[in-house]
Amino acid sequence: MVNLDRFTIFTIVTQLSRLINILTLLKSRRVLTATELSIKYEISVRTVYRDIQKLIEAGIPVITLEGRGYTLMDGYTMAPVQFTEKEANALITAQHLVNKSKDSSFVSDFGEAMIKIKSVFKSSVLEKSELLNKKIFIFDQANENVASNALSEIQLAITHFNYIEINYRKAEDPNITFRKIEPYAIFSTYQKWILIAWCHLRKDYRAFRIDRIQHFKILQEKFEDRKFNIKQYFKNCSVN
């Protein structure tokens, strides 16, 4: 359960970091287009719309200029983002959990997001959070020391509906097979990240341990969403 929470935590922190960056750009009185933000943060235009809506719901007076983009209402002074000590401690704790992930890209991207978020901590909160950071210990009970470095790229392929080509080796099998897959979801169990995808070789959904992917390539070609249902999947499918 802790491992499943890590992905949720990572998603929240990444989104928070992005919202802070968008606010900073808006504060500079720039007019930002959805396409510009989509390219800058490597997200879909639909995600940009959701981010702007979250800012509006938080009370930020974002104005839509028809045919031009987004800006802040004239005369609005943006208060600095503030975190309580408990909120800061929760983020510090989350980083310790994430650092136990076996995927280096995930750890690196989360660390970059945390640097940005910690930059807005009040000095007193930052001091306490750094003290707590030295007093948290997460023990790794995993017996298998196998790592990966593909999670961040795979996450983008999932949200952008890009095909992936992989060379994959199953457990206890020395043979490597080539697969073209449609990535749909990821989950973590026993500190191992699992990718659920439609496999064109098997003509069905399959689960792939990311650390067993020998090589991967994200294609520009996009696939049609099959409306994958993870609850239905877990009823009758097991990990390769």
Side-chain angles (χ1 to χ4, degrees):
M1 183 63 66
V2 171
N3 287 287
L4 287 173
D5 286 343
R6 291 179 189 177
F7 179 63
T8 301
I9 292 167
F10 174 74
T11 301
I12 293 172
V13 172
T14 301
Q15 183 185 66
L16 178 58
S17 176
R18 189 171 67 243
L19 290 175
I20 291 173
N21 285 337
I22 292 174
L23 269 173
T24 301
L25 291 174
L26 288 170
K27 188 179 180 182
S28 69
R29 294 295 182 265
R30 289 183 56 187
V31 175
L32 306 172
T33 67
T35 300
E36 177 185 6
L37 292 171
S38 173
I39 294 172
K40 182 176 180 61
Y41 297 110
E42 297 184 325
I43 56 177
S44 67
V45 171
R46 183 175 298 180
T47 299
V48 173
Y49 295 155
R50 288 197 292 264
D51 283 353
I52 293 297
Q53 186 58 38
K54 287 182 183 298
L55 292 175
I56 293 172
E57 291 172 356
I60 307 299
V62 180
I63 304 299
T64 301
L65 302 177
E66 194 65 33
R68 294 182 59 196
Y70 305 105
T71 188
L72 285 177
M73 179 185 294
D74 287 340
Y76 173 74
T77 302
M78 186 178 69
V81 177
Q82 297 291 347
F83 290 91
T84 67
E85 187 174 340
K86 285 185 177 180
E87 290 169 340
N89 288 347
L91 291 169
I92 294 298
T93 304
Q95 187 167 24
H96 276 268
L97 292 171
V98 168
N99 284 345
K100 287 299 180 180
S101 169
K102 298 300 182 181
D103 189 276
S104 59
S105 65
F106 177 37
V107 174
S108 176
D109 288 342
F110 191 95
E112 290 298 317
M114 280 297 297
I115 289 173
K116 295 175 183 177
I117 291 172
K118 288 167 70 175
S119 69
V120 300
F121 284 0
K122 291 190 300 184
S123 58
S124 59
V125 171
L126 180 61
E127 180 182 355
K128 294 298 184 183
S129 69
E130 289 179 343
L131 176 61
L132 179 66
N133 186 52
K134 299 176 182 178
K135 296 177 179 293
I136 295 179
F137 304 93
I138 307 294
F139 294 102
D140 188 353
Q141 297 180 347
N143 295 320
E144 191 175 4
N145 187 24
V146 182
S148 63
N149 188 31
L151 184 62
S152 292
E153 294 294 327
I154 288 173
Q155 288 171 338
L156 292 178
I158 290 173
T159 57
H160 289 265
F161 300 97
N162 292 107
Y163 284 104
I164 305 177
E165 291 180 344
I166 64 173
N167 291 327
Y168 189 74
R169 183 182 62 80
K170 293 183 180 180
E172 310 301 330
D173 187 347
N175 298 313
I176 296 176
T177 59
F178 172 81
R179 314 283 186 104
K180 183 177 181 180
I181 59 175
E182 302 170 11
Y184 280 101
I186 53 176
F187 67 93
S188 178
T189 181
Y190 297 105
Q191 296 189 349
K192 299 294 186 295
W193 285 102
I194 313 298
L195 168 65
I196 304 175
W198 176 268
C199 177
H200 284 257
L201 178 65
R202 303 305 183 195
K203 306 298 182 185
D204 200 359
Y205 290 108
R206 288 291 187 269
F208 302 96
R209 266 183 49 174
I210 292 179
D211 60 305
R212 288 185 182 146
I213 295 176
Q214 305 297 302
H215 176 75
F216 73 96
K217 180 180 180 181
I218 310 295
L219 305 182
Q220 293 300 313
E221 181 185 2
K222 297 184 182 295
F223 58 85
E224 293 292 328
D225 189 1
R226 297 177 187 267
K227 308 301 180 184
F228 172 74
N229 186 311
I230 195 167
K231 291 183 179 179
Q232 184 63 39
Y233 170 83
F234 278 122
K235 287 182 179 179
N236 53 17
C237 197
S238 60
V239 175
N240 281 323

